[in-house]
Amino acid sequence: MSFKRSVERDRKIEFTHQDIQNKSEFKSQFNFTWIPFNYKSLIMLAIIFLFTQFFCVPFLNQYYQYPSALILTHGILTSFLVVLSFWTIAKEKPPLSALFIRFCFCALIFGGFALAFVLLMKL
């Protein structure tokens, strides 16, 4: 018994490769590449840090102890102001999910540094 195999292709089929954009979008938002590093952005970061350090920390110090006020201010408020300020100057506006990822990353970094500073102060 013999079989004859033949395949006819009448039309051209194009295969496209689609990347999963959620993972690459998550990775691109979970770093500081969305902040343009030039002198204007560094000045803006310094102003945000000085505002939160010298105005918001003493205000929260009335209600909380200094270490808690420092960690909360830099973890939440500084992160929010950094994300908000660079969102307003961005040419392409990212979606809210990207802004939330940026906020979480900044809160993790700034809050972590504030926590490390508080722990070093206690030594």
Side-chain angles (χ1 to χ4, degrees), residues 32 45 71 74-75 78-79 82 105-115:
F32 285 119
L45 287 171
I71 294 170
H74 286 297
T78 304
S79 303
V82 166
F105 180 69
C106 286
L108 186 74
I109 296 296
F110 297 149
F113 279 123
L115 178 65

Side-chain angles (χ1 to χ4, degrees), residues 1 73 77 85:
M1 221 178 210
T73 302
L77 190 63
S85 63

Side-chain angles (χ1 to χ4, degrees), residues 52-66:
T52 56
Q53 182 65 33
F54 294 116
F55 293 111
C56 299
V57 171
F59 177 73
L60 279 179
N61 197 19
Q62 297 172 2
Y63 304 106
Y64 300 107
Q65 294 178 356
Y66 182 75

